[in-house]
Amino acid sequence: MSVISRAFTTAVGGPFKLAIVGSGPAGFYTAHRLLREWPNSQIDMFDSLPVPHGLVRFGVAPDHPEVKNVMTTFDKVAEDDRFRFLGNVAVGTNSSKSLSIKELQDNFDAVLLSYGASEDRKMGIPGEDTFGVESARSFVGWYNGHPNFRDLKLPLDDTDTAVVVGQGNVALDIARILLSPIDELRKTDITEYALEALSKSRIKHVHVVGRRGPVQVSFTSKELREQMSLPGVEFKADMDFIKNEIAESQPFISKNRPLKRLMGLLEKGSPTKNVDKSWTAQFLRSPVEILANNARVNGIKYEINRLEGPLEKRRAVGTGEFESQECGMVFTSIGYKSLPIEGVPFDDRQGRVPNHYGKIMDGDNELAGMYTAGWLKRGPTGVIVSTMTDAYETADTIVDDLKNGKEMLANIDLPKSGAEGLEQLMKERHIEPVSYNDWKKIEAAEFAIGEKLGKPREKFSRIQDMLAVLGHS
């Protein structure tokens, strides 16, 4: 039976048919809430990759398996007869093997866009395209087996010093992966090709650099505690500066319990016995140039900043003083951005789809039947829990619109045919949808390979290998 042809049991009047573009947490959590709050729904979820779960699969650090437990919730959503996953189906790209937003609108009562943020924010400085400069998204995708980054070339064996620009949790993920004992990483689902490259890595020092001060860092206590406890790794920083900043900011810190706990960890530092590696937290530094030699990174130049403004909103201001630091790799962890999709309003300045509680807006007007969730809705911030809250808000907006009889997409055909109406188009374009059952077969094959290697799973990092499990060409 094909992915499309399975019949749904519908209530009198036919179900509300929703297309979701993107199979990450935002899409799944919206589906989870909607199926509960509006039982007479039929949801078809599209993803360009044959495998679902977005950043849970490709963004969560391999040594954080507990964060991936949310996939159990997603599995339960997928087991619902009112839900279908159509992987390996691109939407809104320029490819001839893609569906358009208009084609979804013609076949569904509503469309939800939750395809996340797939591009990097740039530093906008000379030299940032030099070999040895990589974005966090690329590096994380590489070690997590994302097909787009499978063949990334990294000079890990050519330098002992790396710089990570940014001071959020992803920046610490990168530093931790670079400095972790290889035998510890072998127990995770990090890809075998990444393990091989990291086993040959010469990197012993990682500088995690931010433009503001210690009180303004974006990483959280859990990630900092892990970083501080890495075996054989020393923490280095200007401790006098850190202590002074914490002391001066006490009126602000004392009102914020998580920040107070975080500052306590930062001030305490880490043990220094039997160390052969180090990581450094550097503050008040804004990159202004990547330095190169023979078309390869060999350093980075900073402008030194000072902090201005009230404690709650300290901002970095350049002093006109500069310094340079030697390094052989630079990772930029300064955020992601979403891309527009044809036929949908997009705010280039904010990098998101304009919306009101998840209802897409065109100026002051609501777009009937068009919704958004996740990073595309609010910008690329927050963790999985905040994405869940955000997705539930969008689902509640959809339910309110249904209860209030608000107009959905124009009724070209009654009733809307959902994914069945796209079956012929997909055949003509040689699009072979992958169902959730198909995905579970791919996952079972990953588990089996992983078991032989003594790890949780070994992810397929090439689309053709994923499809080969299903007998697709």
Side-chain angles (χ1 to χ4, degrees), residues 440-458 460:
K440 298 306 283 186
K441 293 175 186 176
I442 294 170
E443 185 178 50
E446 292 182 341
F447 288 154
I449 297 170
E451 186 175 5
K452 292 178 182 177
L453 296 169
K455 59 197 296 192
R457 76 167 83 205
E458 174 61 18
F460 292 112

Side-chain angles (χ1 to χ4, degrees), residues 6 55 59 87 117 122 196 222 257 277 298-299 345 361 397 405 449:
R6 177 167 59 83
L55 280 181
K122 294 286 190 179
E196 182 180 357
K222 176 181 180 294
R257 186 175 295 177
K277 297 180 180 180
N298 73 342
M361 305 290 293
T397 296
I449 297 170

Side-chain angles (χ1 to χ4, degrees), residues 141-146 149-150 191-197 458 461:
W142 173 76
Y143 63 63
N144 274 326
H146 193 295
F149 306 108
R150 169 64 174 82
T191 56
E192 284 296 296
Y193 64 78
L195 272 177
E196 182 180 357
E458 174 61 18
S461 55

Side-chain angles (χ1 to χ4, degrees), residues 249-257 259-260:
S249 302
Q250 274 307 312
F252 172 57
I253 295 172
S254 62
K255 300 174 186 176
N256 186 323
R257 186 175 295 177
L259 182 60
K260 184 177 181 180

